[in-house]
């Protein structure tokens, strides 16, 4: 990547890089020293730091800077006459010179929010193609990253096949439900998901800490009437709440809710987290919403409880708005995956006649993102 110019600012406390498009990126000397890429600072095999912050001089200064070779920024640092070199593309990628983001719930650039009009159907892939073609798998995983949901067809209709899908990109997260679990009607079920009842849109397992960040549901057999699956983008719901009632967004993100589940004498799961999780810098992290497992709200002061419940109701109304939903009916061999920190899922009630047999498992986003990044790096060369 080309560089228009370099200049030292604040007596060498920082470096200013001007790019051909006119953008300027400023880098503090202490940051550059801490992020040195040389063999004394980074392990050549795994890239991990060999130094700690205490090895970085607090009075680090840039004595000189120039561009050498094919866009490499070479720096002379003090104290210690330390020489550093940074590829210009690396500096551009890691530029942090930006205004503080004042938005209430901004999202990373790779995230696209949606409703039933913006995304009329769930992004789709074929199991056989994804299993044999890394590029196709990368495209499917990138859709999960962008939209938080994707579907798949031609998955083997065999018990445990949902785990094979998870292992295309990561690892199964085993829970008290087992490595995988059946979702079909039962007598005296431990969970209402194991009935023919309709379920309100929800994220799964908010009573866990940490919550499983991916859920996969595959269909082995479906001859029942009804039971259509529905997905809702929780991030888009938060955006709507912020647009329509910003004070309600604020209260749902300020106070924690409590969630609990005790399926049998050996299980007692509890967590305490806000329904809308926003990081300190305003980035929207997660949505937790589950009417079946929310516990009594006890962490909201008396003077704010009525406002909290009004916000809770408003958020639920947005989530259940048909305009927010995508609906589809799973057939044998179909599967869908959701980012469980973002996308809510639900189903309509189904009849007692026929069979609706799904199997599910949990996995985590770190494995999916890792596999996707590796594929993207291989494609980019």
């Amino acid at each position: 990547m080309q560089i228009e110019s370099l200049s030292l600012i604040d007596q060498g406390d920082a470096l200013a890089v001007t790019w051909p498009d006119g953008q300027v990126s400023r880098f503090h000397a202490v940051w550059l020293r801490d992020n040195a890429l040389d063999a004394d600072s980074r392990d050549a095999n795994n890239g991990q730091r060999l130094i700690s912050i205490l090895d970085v001089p607090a009075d680090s200064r840039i004595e000189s800077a120039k561009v050498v070779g094919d866009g490499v920024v070479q720096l002379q640092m003090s104290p210690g006459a330390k020489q550093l070199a940074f590829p210009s593309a690396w500096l551009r990628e890691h530029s942090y010179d930006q205004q503080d983001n004042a938005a209430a719930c901004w999202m990373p650039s790779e995230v696209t929010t949606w409703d039933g009009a913006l995304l009329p159907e769930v992004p789709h892939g074929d199991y056989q193609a994804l299993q044999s073609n890394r590029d196709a798998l990368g495209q499917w995983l990138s859709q999960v990253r962008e939209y938080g949901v994707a579907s798949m067809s031609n998955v083997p209709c065999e018990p445990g096949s949902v785990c094979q899908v998870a292992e295309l990109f990561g690892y199964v997260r085993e829970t008290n439900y087992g490595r995988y679990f059946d979702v079909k009607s039962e007598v005296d079920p431990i969970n209402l998901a194991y009935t023919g009842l309709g379920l309100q849109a929800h994220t799964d397992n908010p009573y866990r800490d940490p919550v499983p960040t991916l859920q996969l549901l595959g269909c082995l057999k479906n001859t029942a009437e009804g039971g259509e699956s529905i997905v809702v983008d929780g991030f888009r719901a938060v955006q709507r709440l912020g647009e329509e009632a910003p004070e309600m967004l604020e209260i749902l993100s300020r106070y924690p809710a409590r969630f609990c589940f005790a399926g049998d004498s050996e299980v007692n799961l509890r967590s305490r987290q806000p329904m809308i999780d926003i990081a300190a810098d305003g980035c929207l992290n997660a949505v937790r919403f589950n009417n079946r497992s929310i516990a009594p709200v006890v962490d909201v002061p008396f003077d704010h409880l009525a406002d909290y419940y009004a916000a809770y109701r408003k958020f639920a109304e947005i989530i259940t708005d048909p305009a927010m939903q995508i609906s589809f009916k799973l057939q044998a061999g179909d599967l869908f995956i959701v980012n469980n920190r973002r996308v809510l899922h639900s189903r309509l009630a189904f009849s007692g006649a026929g069979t609706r047999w799904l199997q599910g498992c949990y996995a985590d986003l770190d494995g999916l993102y890792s596999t996707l990044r590796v594929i993207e790096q291989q494609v980019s060369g």
Side-chain angles (χ1 to χ4, degrees), residues 72-377:
V72 174
V73 175
Q74 191 174 86
L75 305 174
Q76 179 83 22
M77 307 283 296
S78 65
K82 179 70 175 178
Q83 290 192 349
L84 303 180
F86 295 93
S88 56
W90 188 95
L91 289 173
R92 182 67 181 246
E93 180 183 357
H94 294 89
S95 175
Y96 59 90
D97 191 3
Q98 56 191 325
Q99 297 295 318
D100 286 342
N101 197 318
C105 55
W106 64 273
M107 278 154 279
S109 59
E110 64 267 18
V111 169
T112 299
T113 61
W114 51 267
D115 55 27
L118 295 173
L119 188 72
E121 60 184 25
V122 172
H124 177 262
D126 179 87
Y127 176 72
Q128 299 300 325
L130 302 185
Q131 190 180 38
S132 59
N133 187 313
R134 289 277 284 181
D135 288 346
L137 177 63
Q139 292 172 11
W140 189 79
L141 296 177
S142 71
Q143 292 175 320
V144 179
R145 179 177 62 188
E146 181 174 1
Y147 301 109
V149 62
S151 64
M152 188 181 292
S153 58
N154 295 320
V155 178
C157 295
E158 302 169 356
S161 59
V162 66
C163 297
Q164 296 172 19
V165 175
E167 289 166 347
L168 289 176
F169 58 80
Y171 304 92
V172 174
R173 166 95 170 263
E174 189 164 349
T175 69
N176 59 292
Y177 299 117
R179 180 171 166 80
Y180 63 90
F181 49 88
D182 292 306
V183 182
K184 57 183 178 180
S185 297
E186 295 180 354
V187 178
D188 298 326
I190 65 167
N191 192 306
L192 289 178
Y194 305 157
T195 71
L197 297 174
L199 301 175
Q200 186 185 36
H202 61 281
T203 57
D204 249 40
N205 289 205
Y207 40 75
R208 295 189 193 279
D209 189 7
V211 66
T213 50
L214 289 170
Q215 180 175 12
L216 296 84
L217 281 169
C219 179
L220 275 65
K221 187 175 183 179
N222 194 357
T223 59
E225 292 190 10
E228 286 82 357
S229 298
I230 296 170
V231 289
V232 177
D233 186 358
F235 282 8
R236 176 63 194 132
V238 172
Q239 286 179 321
R240 268 192 60 181
L241 184 64
E243 293 161 2
E244 298 174 13
E247 73 285 355
M248 292 184 171
L249 169 58
E250 195 279 332
I251 199 169
L252 288 183
S253 62
R254 186 198 321 170
Y255 294 113
R258 297 195 184 210
F259 301 91
C260 64
F261 177 73
D264 56 46
S265 61
E266 299 300 318
V267 176
N268 193 328
L269 296 165
R270 300 184 185 187
S271 74
R272 179 179 178 270
Q273 302 285 349
M275 286 190 195
I276 300 173
D277 187 345
I278 298 178
D281 66 351
C283 182
L284 179 56
N285 282 334
V287 170
R288 301 176 184 88
F289 190 91
N290 192 313
N291 67 293
R292 288 173 288 136
S293 61
I294 191 168
V297 177
V298 296
D299 296 289
V300 180
F302 180 90
D303 290 343
H304 295 289
L305 190 75
D307 291 337
Y308 184 90
Y309 262 86
Y312 181 14
R313 180 181 299 276
K314 173 71 172 178
F315 194 38
E317 288 171 349
I318 292 173
I319 286 169
T320 56
D321 180 354
M324 296 290 292
Q325 302 174 352
I326 300 176
S327 175
F328 51 93
K329 185 162 185 175
L330 293 171
Q331 305 296 336
D334 292 343
L335 174 147
F336 73 99
I337 182 173
V338 294
N339 176 342
N340 192 46
R341 289 166 55 89
R342 170 184 175 183
V343 172
L344 301 89
H345 64 284
S346 65
R347 69 151 188 258
L348 301 181
F350 60 93
S351 68
T355 300
R356 183 181 187 273
W357 182 13
L358 308 186
Q359 282 192 336
C361 76
Y362 298 114
D364 283 303
L365 284 164
D366 59 351
L368 186 150
Y369 289 161
S370 174
T371 299
L372 176 56
R373 292 187 194 106
V374 169
I375 294 174
E376 289 176 335
Q377 288 170 351

Side-chain angles (χ1 to χ4, degrees), residues 17-54:
V17 181
T18 302
W19 306 100
D21 61 3
Q23 179 177 328
V24 177
S25 300
R26 294 169 297 175
F27 301 92
H28 289 87
V30 68
W31 183 93
L32 291 163
R33 181 64 188 86
D34 183 43
N35 287 283
L37 303 176
D38 63 287
D40 292 333
S41 304
R42 298 271 180 172
D43 184 274
N45 293 318
N46 56 42
Q48 290 187 311
R49 277 184 175 85
L50 299 173
I51 59 173
S52 78
I53 187 60
L54 299 179

